[in-house]
Amino acid sequence: MRPAPRPALAFACLFVLAALAAGCGGGSDSTDSTAGGNESAESRPAPPKSAFPSPEGRTLRELLKGADGPAEVVVSPAALAFWQGKNRYPFGVFERDRTQVSGAEVALYLAKTPAPGPGAKSKSGNKGQKAKAQEQALDEPAIGPFPASIETLVTQPAFRARTTSDDPDAASVVYSTELDFPSDGEWRIAALIKDGDELTGTLLPSAVVGEFKRIPRPGQMAPKMNTPTAEDVGGDVSQITTRVPPDTQNKVDYADVLGKEPIVLLFATPQFCQSRVCGPVVDVAEQVKEEYGDEAAFIHMEIYNDNDPSKGVLPQVRAYNLPSEPWLFTIDRQGRVSSVLEGAFGVEALTAATQKAIAE
């Protein structure tokens, strides 16, 4: 994955960064979740830290060896961009056959990857050193645990699009925790999964903190741009949204309300999103808009020119320097970014971000 200036590579599937061999997207768990969003897929608070081993000076390797065995599930990150300090870290949990697991108890642990040696000058010539540094990170002191909560992506039926309900691979939950990265650089991540008295472990792809510096962050002024409206397309909103039926988050131009009223800006493409969470999050935004649409401007931006992935990403996506999708930005009345959510999110998370922007 690369920053937005190289759009052909920018919007690959996030849920398969952990090498989920079966391909993009999570299917439906026969017991925990069902295709298109099962109403039994419920939000759950994070388990207590005491439910997982304390590092107590141990390394990631020692924590994984101390588990009862390797995890049979795949834990796949759903975000790319991280900054020093506290970060929301969303991820999915899947069986090897791609079915989504919606009720696991998971905690993450971190360890810093040593910086490459002085001989590392290029990415192409540094693969060996990078792999060695990543291996060394497993023997660095671990930080954690960071237990994960579960956020349902299921909305009330009135707000569930056919794009979601007809998609057998649409995600029904997302796991999330708050990771606190002490510094920029590469961080190895391990997960411990608790199932009754059994504890299993697995490694996740590294998180590179500070890599995407041009993405707007809370407290910064939001970029200026225009967004298409229903009026611009003569009322045929199917031209500016791939949701079926079309969503209602296209009534105002972003440029007309920036710095004047709160904005809830969502970048997502329900039809082409490979991670299968974009349909559900647009549904989530539709539901939250029903309650807060009179207090904030809700704007949904698609990703691709002419809704065609072969034509590259839209200028609005480039204006925000986005390396992936979906992304949600709330913006206050002064035009400052209030909250940022990368990856999937549920009604509770979006409601909190919307309320914060309105209050500010």
Side-chain angles (χ1 to χ4, degrees):
M1 293 193 179
R2 296 292 184 268
R6 285 170 280 185
L9 299 178
F11 289 88
C13 180
L14 285 175
F15 269 148
V16 294
L17 291 177
L20 180 59
C24 281
S28 60
D29 190 311
S30 59
T31 58
D32 290 324
S33 61
T34 301
N38 187 336
E39 295 182 33
S40 67
E42 299 177 348
S43 296
R44 302 185 189 182
K49 287 187 176 183
S50 59
F52 295 90
S54 171
E56 297 179 337
R58 287 183 288 178
T59 66
L60 287 185
R61 194 188 305 276
E62 290 170 334
L63 285 169
L64 292 171
K65 284 187 175 181
D68 296 312
E72 295 183 358
V73 296
V74 175
V75 181
S76 300
L80 283 177
F82 305 101
W83 294 273
Q84 182 177 344
K86 294 181 179 180
N87 294 255
R88 177 179 181 267
Y89 185 94
F91 60 93
V93 180
F94 301 95
E95 301 285 1
R96 297 286 173 175
D97 64 359
R98 296 175 55 189
T99 58
Q100 185 178 23
V101 177
S102 63
E105 291 190 346
V106 186
L108 304 184
Y109 297 80
L110 307 174
K112 182 67 180 290
T113 300
K121 296 182 179 180
S122 67
K123 290 184 178 180
S124 60
N126 191 34
K127 291 182 179 180
Q129 282 193 326
K130 183 175 181 179
K132 183 178 179 180
Q134 290 176 337
E135 185 69 17
Q136 290 174 342
L138 300 181
D139 296 314
E140 295 292 323
I143 303 172
F146 299 95
S149 62
I150 299 174
E151 302 174 32
T152 181
L153 305 182
V154 178
T155 61
Q156 297 171 8
F159 304 101
R160 196 175 309 149
R162 292 201 303 273
T163 319
T164 304
S165 59
D166 292 349
D167 183 357
D169 291 331
S172 61
V173 300
V174 63
Y175 294 74
S176 69
T177 188
E178 190 175 74
L179 298 185
D180 193 350
F181 294 105
S183 64
D184 285 353
E186 182 177 357
W187 289 82
R188 295 305 309 268
I189 302 175
L192 292 182
I193 302 99
K194 187 176 177 63
D195 184 5
D197 294 330
E198 184 181 41
L199 196 67
T200 58
T202 186
L203 281 172
L204 280 67
S206 297
V208 181
V209 178
E211 181 179 13
F212 297 101
K213 298 183 182 299
R214 298 175 63 195
I215 299 171
R217 297 173 59 184
Q220 297 180 346
M221 298 303 294
K224 297 179 180 179
M225 64 183 189
N226 291 93
T227 58
T229 67
E231 184 178 358
D232 294 334
V233 291
D236 182 10
V237 291
S238 64
Q239 295 184 39
I240 54 176
T241 177
T242 61
R243 184 179 188 263
V244 179
D247 59 90
T248 63
Q249 302 166 58
N250 43 45
K251 295 182 178 179
V252 298
D253 185 337
Y254 170 98
D256 291 339
V257 292
L258 181 64
K260 299 176 183 177
E261 60 184 271
I263 298 173
V264 178
L265 174 65
L266 173 60
F267 289 92
T269 177
Q271 183 176 351
F272 300 111
C273 182
Q274 295 183 57
S275 63
R276 314 318 305 158
V277 300
C278 293
V281 299
V282 177
D283 296 349
V284 165
E286 281 288 285
Q287 180 169 324
V288 176
K289 177 179 178 289
E290 178 71 11
E291 183 171 357
Y292 293 98
D294 292 335
E295 301 179 68
F298 282 70
I299 298 173
H300 166 217
M301 271 304 309
E302 283 283 335
I303 300 300
Y304 300 106
N305 288 302
D306 298 326
N307 293 330
D308 183 346
S310 69
K311 294 184 178 181
V313 299
L314 286 160
Q316 293 87 347
V317 177
R318 295 196 298 272
Y320 268 76
N321 298 290
L322 301 182
S324 60
E325 64 162 322
W327 281 82
L328 187 284
F329 297 85
T330 59
I331 302 162
D332 67 19
R333 290 179 178 84
Q334 287 70 47
R336 289 187 177 85
V337 176
S338 176
S339 299
V340 179
L341 298 174
E342 181 187 5
F345 52 84
V347 168
E348 292 181 4
L350 180 54
T351 297
T354 302
Q355 290 174 338
K356 181 182 177 185
I358 292 171
E360 291 175 347

